Amino acid sequence: MSAPALNPPILTATGLTKRFGATTILDNIDLTVNAGEVLALVGPSGCGKSTLLNILSGLVAPDAGQLRVAGVPSAQFRDWRRIAYMFQEDRLLPWRTVRDNVAFGLEATQTPRAERDRIADEMLALVGLEGRADAWPHELSGGMRSRVALARSLAVQPDVLLMDEPFSKLDPTTRSQMHEELLRIQAEGVASKRMTVVFVTHDMEEAVVLADRVIRLAARPGRVADVVDLATLARPRVPTAPVVAEQVRVLRAAA
Ligand SMILES: Nc1ncnc2c1ncn2[C@@H]1O[C@H](COP(=O)(O)OP(=O)(O)O)[C@@H](O)[C@H]1O
Ligand SMILES: [Mg+2]
């Protein structure tokens, strides 16, 4: 009997180590992200989750170890636009309208202006902000701003979406709506290829509702403490479902 086909890894980190001054922040991290999976990173504040995302995005180089993107060593990888990064802060440009913030990443491509605007408006509709395209960032609530940041990340149709505590500023109802939207967008993907998502959260319920696998990092120095495989947990996952609640309880107990 042959084993079921596994998606190829899109990100492979081996022995990643990162120091700031004399302090080792990440210590010898091995991590594989398979194409099309949703991966949650959890762990105590300061354990290096954001630093790890920075490395996976190509923004920060590790002091030791290697990152491969689609099999290519990161130093040789040229197509970083395939990886979108939604930062912990929304980083909206205050002098640009909402539409022009969302279209920002497309300006580096050959996309004509009218097409950029059309895509921006489509992404804004996806995150429930139709009609706000001409607003300025300062006119929006924190939750709306983070939805604009998500729309901006999605506008470039990335293969991989990295998100640092993306929904932490949303009220619970909006957060659940965004979870559904994200999973729908992820499954539709680009050119019918499931998008790969790696996200940081403090919310174990969010981790269980969204993720195929949960990577728990331990602190000082940051290292992988535990990998929880949730791939077989049926979807859609409702927080009130007993199997979901039980998994949340297990993760909270381990934290
Ligand atoms: N640029 C930096 N210079 C020095 N120390 C940093 C820098 N970035 C992060 N750190 C430190 O590295 C540790 C991990 O930070 P971070 O990755 O932001 O953790 P987390 O996202 O898990 O809360 C923290 O102790 C933080 O103070
Ligand atoms: Mg962080």
Side-chain angles (χ1 to χ4, degrees):
M1 276 219 322
S2 60
L6 271 181
N7 283 341
I10 181 103
L11 298 172
T12 314
T14 38
L16 287 187
T17 296
K18 183 70 193 171
R19 298 179 200 95
F20 288 118
T23 313
T24 300
I25 303 298
L26 295 174
D27 186 27
N28 204 22
I29 302 248
D30 290 334
L31 177 68
T32 299
V33 183
N34 298 312
E37 83 171 324
V38 180
L39 193 72
L41 291 176
V42 303
S45 204
C47 74
K49 301 180 297 296
S50 297
T51 304
L52 181 56
L53 276 195
N54 288 341
I55 294 174
L56 296 180
S57 73
L59 282 182
V60 165
D63 293 308
Q66 198 189 42
L67 171 69
R68 284 174 175 269
V69 186
V72 179
S74 56
Q76 273 101 60
F77 187 72
R78 289 287 166 265
D79 209 2
W80 289 101
R81 229 181 288 144
R82 290 169 58 190
I83 302 183
Y85 190 1
M86 184 179 165
F87 298 101
Q88 193 162 358
E89 12 15 294
D90 57 57
R91 298 199 188 183
L92 300 185
L93 300 171
W95 58 86
R96 284 177 163 243
T97 62
V98 163
R99 178 185 289 116
D100 287 348
N101 267 283
V102 174
F104 182 68
L106 295 167
E107 288 172 19
T109 66
Q110 300 302 314
T111 320
R113 169 88 204 209
E115 177 67 1
R116 294 201 302 262
D117 287 352
R118 190 194 63 73
I119 293 170
D121 287 354
E122 189 184 316
M123 295 304 134
L124 285 167
L126 273 183
V127 300
L129 284 176
E130 56 268 274
R132 302 313 300 269
D134 295 313
W136 299 96
H138 72 86
E139 297 175 304
L140 304 181
S141 68
M144 287 167 125
R145 291 176 62 108
S146 58
R147 281 144 73 191
V148 175
L150 176 61
R152 178 181 55 189
S153 302
L154 293 171
V156 295
Q157 301 203 311
D159 294 340
V160 181
L161 175 59
L162 307 173
M163 304 191 290
D164 201 347
E165 303 189 27
F167 308 125
S168 59
K169 289 203 191 75
L170 304 179
D171 63 82
T173 309
T174 313
R175 190 180 306 142
S176 306
Q177 285 167 359
M178 294 304 292
H179 291 163
E180 278 180 40
E181 286 303 310
L182 177 75
L183 289 175
R184 191 176 54 72
I185 294 163
Q186 186 259 341
E188 283 172 10
V190 180
S192 318
K193 248 187 2 206
R194 257 174 195 279
M195 187 168 67
T196 308
V197 177
V198 181
F199 72 103
V200 170
T201 186
H202 283 290
D203 178 350
M204 297 305 176
E205 192 173 284
E206 179 165 272
V208 174
V209 166
L210 294 179
D212 297 310
R213 282 192 301 154
V214 180
I215 310 277
R216 207 162 51 77
L217 298 180
R220 277 176 283 276
R223 59 196 189 282
V224 176
D226 196 10
V227 180
V228 182
D229 192 338
L230 299 177
T232 56
L233 194 61
R235 294 181 184 272
R237 297 173 185 163
V238 189
T240 49
V243 282
V244 173
E246 171 60 14
Q247 196 59 63
V248 172
R249 195 192 60 72
V250 168
L251 274 172
R252 282 189 186 139

